Amino acid sequence: MESGKVLLVGAGPGDVRLITVKGLEAIMQAEVILYDRLANPKLLEFAPADCELIYCGKLPDRHTLRQENINDLLVQKALEGKVVVRLKGGDPGVFGRVGEEAAALALYQIPFEIVPGISSGIAAPLYAGIPVTHREHAESFAVVTAHDKSIEGKPMLDWEGLVRGVDTIAFYMGVANLPFICENLIAHGKPADTPVILIQWGTFGRQRTLQGTLSDISKKVLEAKFSNPSIILVGEVISLREKISWFEKMPLFGRQILLARTSEGASGLAKGLMEQGADVIEFPKWKKTILPVEVGNVTNYDKILFTSPESVGEFFQAVIEKGIDIRKIKADFYGGSSKSINALKERGFMASLIEDMPKEGSLLVVGDDRKYEVENADFLVTSKKELDQQFLPIFQRMLEEAEVNTMVFPSGASVNVFIEGLKKCGIDVFYLLKDVQVVCMGQHTKEQVERVGLITAGMPVSPTRKALVEYLIQCPIV
C-alpha cells in the first residue's frame, strides 16, 4: 500500500480564529488527527465526520501518550495510507518537539509538511495588551523553556546572556519553576523591580493575568493559586499594558458559555458570542444521516413547523424531488428558533416563531427527531441525528478546564437533547448548572427549561443574537 502523508500543524494559542488558513485546510482533509491538550478542541469540529481523533495531551503529572508512542502512531497511520494531522498548540517549532516527529517520519520516508502556527509567547502577551517588542522599551525578544531534561527539571540556561542581551523574555510553562527563574534573573543582574506578568489560558475568554515584579511575583502566584498553562513575560514593555489592553475590555470577556446545540453545522450564535470576547463550549456534537421521506400530502396542512434550519433545506429538497408545486402548499410556516426563521426567509418565505403559532388547525412538524413537544401533530422526520461519540470525552475535558458561568438554550428543541447528551457523559444537569446563569432565547424555550426543573435567570427581549449579547452585557456574572 502506498504510504499516506502527515501534516504537522500549529493550532495557534487557543482562540480558534487564530489558526492559519493552511492549518484549517489540513484539518478539513484529515483522516486521522492526533491532538494535544493545548490545541483548542473546537478545531476538531472542522474535521470530516469519519475522521479518527486521538488524544495525545500531556500534563505535568501524567502523559496520555509518551512522545515515542506518538512518533510510532504517526508512522503507523501514515503507512496505512491515511492523511494524518498532528495538531499542536501554538507553533510546532517552538517547544513542540516537531523535530523529533519529523525525524521519525523521515526515517520511514513518509511524506510530511510542517505548518507553522502563531506562538503563544507572542499571542498571549498581545491579548493582554503587551507587544513583545517596542522601539522605546524592547528591541529584543526571547522565548525560553522553563523546564528541561535536567534531573530536577530546572532550566539550565545562559542566565547572564538573557539578562545582558534580551529586553523581553517569555518563559513557557514555568509556573512551578517561577521562584528559581526570578532568583537567577536577579542574581545575574536583572533589577528586582523588573515587571513580570503571568498570562494563563492566553487568547481564551477565560484568560487571567497576574502582574508583579521579579521580587514579589512568586508570592503573588502562591496566593492567587495561579497555574499552567501560563506564559511568564519579563520586561519593561509590560508597562504598556495599562494603555493598550484591549481583549479584557471586550463586552463578554470572562463569560464562559455552555451553548446547547441541535444542529451539526457551525453555529452563527457561537461565533457571535466569541466575537464579543466569550468562551463558548457547544454541546452535543451531532452526526447526521439524511432519510428518504414521503411528502405527498404536505399541501393538506394548515401549519408547518420546522424544528431546525437544516430541516428547511431537507424539506424543500424532498418537495422538489417529488415534483410538488410549492405554490400549492397553503400552510403558514413556523420555526422553532430564529435560525429556522432565517433559513425560511432565505428561501423567500415569511415565518413566525413557535410562540406565535395558534393551536387551531392541522400541524406538520418537520425536523430531525420526534422530541419536539407539540400536541396533535404529524411528524415528518427528514434526517436522523445521533451523538458523535468521539466528542463525549472531548467535551468532558473541556468542562474540566473551564469554569462555565453561563448556559444558553437557543430553542425549546435544544433542552431535552442537551440533557440526554449529558447523561451519555455521566453528568447530572442539575449539578452542572447549579451555580450557572441559565438564559433562554424565547418564551417557549423558557417554558421547556422550567418544565424539566431548571431555574432560569431570564431571557433577552427577542430571540436574536444581538439581543442575547445585549442581555448578557447587562446581566452581571453570578
Side-chain angles (χ1 to χ4, degrees):
M1 178 185 294
E2 184 179 346
S3 77
K5 182 177 182 178
V6 176
L7 298 106
L8 306 161
V9 176
D15 186 335
V16 291
R17 296 164 296 177
L18 294 180
I19 192 170
T20 64
V21 173
K22 187 171 183 178
L24 189 58
E25 289 174 347
I27 293 172
M28 294 172 71
Q29 64 174 303
E31 295 175 280
V32 181
I33 298 179
L34 285 75
Y35 65 99
D36 280 349
R37 175 195 176 206
L38 297 182
N40 193 328
K42 289 181 71 67
L43 289 169
L44 301 175
E45 298 193 8
F46 293 96
D50 57 352
C51 180
E52 181 183 5
L53 307 176
I54 302 173
Y55 183 55
C56 305
K58 299 174 184 176
L59 290 168
D61 59 343
R62 66 181 185 273
H63 289 245
T64 299
L65 282 178
R66 302 200 68 84
Q67 188 61 50
E68 297 79 7
N69 303 126
I70 294 171
N71 296 350
D72 292 342
L73 262 177
L74 290 173
V75 170
Q76 174 192 328
K77 296 297 181 179
L79 290 178
E80 292 174 4
K82 295 179 178 178
V83 177
V84 183
V85 168
R86 175 73 172 103
L87 193 61
K88 299 166 162 297
D91 180 275
V94 181
F95 310 126
R97 304 185 74 169
V98 72
E100 297 169 50
E101 294 171 354
L105 296 168
L107 183 64
Y108 286 86
Q109 299 183 325
I110 294 171
F112 66 88
E113 292 184 32
I114 301 176
V115 182
I118 298 175
S119 178
S120 303
I122 297 172
L126 281 175
Y127 268 57
I130 306 165
V132 294
T133 63
H134 189 280
R135 286 195 301 172
E136 296 178 8
H137 300 280
E139 296 182 346
S140 57
F141 167 63
V143 293
V144 181
T145 180
H147 59 273
D148 57 23
K149 299 171 73 173
S150 62
I151 296 176
E152 295 182 352
K154 307 292 185 184
M156 300 173 65
L157 305 172
D158 178 3
W159 295 103
E160 185 176 351
L162 283 174
V163 170
R164 292 179 59 186
V166 182
D167 296 319
T168 307
I169 311 170
F171 292 92
Y172 282 56
M173 305 296 281
V175 174
N177 284 331
L178 183 58
F180 179 80
I181 291 168
C182 294
E183 291 167 8
N184 275 277
L185 290 175
I186 293 172
H188 288 83
K190 205 77 167 171
D193 61 354
T194 301
V196 181
I197 190 170
L198 275 74
I199 308 162
Q200 182 188 59
W201 291 112
T203 78
F204 282 91
R206 74 191 77 154
Q207 176 177 298
R208 292 176 62 207
T209 56
L210 184 65
Q211 195 165 338
T213 65
L214 286 176
S215 63
D216 64 14
I217 191 65
S218 296
K219 181 181 178 182
K220 288 185 175 182
V221 164
L222 285 175
E223 291 172 349
K225 297 181 180 179
F226 226 75
S227 62
N228 284 320
S230 294
I231 291 291
I232 302 167
L233 201 70
V234 180
E236 296 297 335
V237 75
I238 294 170
S239 62
L240 293 172
R241 170 173 159 78
E242 293 182 8
K243 295 180 181 178
I244 62 174
S245 175
W246 62 276
F247 181 52
E248 294 164 20
K249 295 177 181 177
M250 296 191 77
L252 296 184
F253 177 79
R255 285 278 181 182
Q256 297 187 54
I257 299 173
L258 186 53
L259 175 62
R261 176 162 58 180
T262 56
S263 60
E264 81 286 352
S267 168
L269 178 58
K271 183 175 181 292
L273 294 170
M274 289 189 290
E275 287 173 350
Q276 299 298 320
D279 267 349
V280 182
I281 299 175
E282 298 177 77
F283 183 79
K285 173 73 167 59
W286 299 96
K287 292 200 301 187
K288 182 174 73 171
T289 304
I290 303 295
L291 300 175
V293 294
E294 178 54 56
V295 292
N297 61 344
V298 296
T299 58
N300 299 333
Y301 291 93
D302 300 311
K303 302 173 292 183
I304 298 179
L305 169 65
F306 295 89
T307 65
S308 69
E310 293 83 6
S311 67
V312 174
E314 294 161 4
F315 172 80
F316 284 107
Q317 182 63 35
V319 166
I320 292 170
E321 290 177 354
K322 191 68 175 179
I324 297 174
D325 188 338
I326 293 175
R327 292 172 296 182
K328 293 183 178 179
I329 299 177
K330 64 179 182 178
D332 293 324
F333 290 161
Y334 298 89
S337 67
S338 57
K339 289 172 66 176
S340 299
I341 298 292
N342 291 334
L344 286 162
K345 285 182 178 179
E346 289 173 1
R347 292 179 174 269
F349 297 98
M350 300 304 295
S352 302
L353 285 167
I354 185 174
E355 290 93 321
D356 301 321
M357 186 173 68
K359 293 184 179 180
E360 299 79 17
S362 56
L363 171 64
L364 176 67
V365 178
V366 179
D368 44 22
D369 57 46
R370 296 181 179 237
K371 294 181 180 178
Y372 218 93
E373 296 186 11
V374 182
E375 296 179 357
N376 301 319
D378 295 331
F379 286 83
L380 182 65
V381 182
T382 56
S383 60
K384 177 185 177 182
K385 285 196 307 190
E386 57 185 357
L387 284 176
D388 191 330
Q389 299 292 327
Q390 282 199 106
F391 275 82
L392 296 183
I394 294 171
F395 171 68
Q396 289 174 300
R397 281 194 296 272
M398 293 173 76
L399 280 185
E400 289 172 2
E401 295 187 332
E403 295 180 6
V404 173
N405 50 42
T406 309
M407 174 77 224
V408 175
F409 288 102
S411 66
S414 69
V415 179
N416 286 332
V417 293
F418 176 81
I419 294 173
E420 290 301 314
L422 287 182
K423 289 179 181 178
K424 297 283 187 181
C425 295
I427 298 173
D428 178 74
V429 66
F430 298 103
Y431 177 79
L432 177 65
L433 302 181
K434 65 178 180 179
D435 297 317
V436 172
Q437 275 187 344
V438 178
V439 180
C440 307
M441 294 185 69
Q443 182 61 36
H444 178 77
T445 306
K446 186 172 183 289
E447 292 171 1
Q448 292 289 93
V449 169
E450 292 175 344
R451 185 175 289 122
V452 300
L454 292 171
I455 299 175
T456 64
M459 62 182 185
V461 293
S462 62
T464 64
R465 186 188 314 173
K466 181 180 178 181
L468 174 63
V469 170
E470 291 175 353
Y471 177 84
L472 294 177
I473 291 172
Q474 294 169 2
C475 297
I477 301 172
V478 294

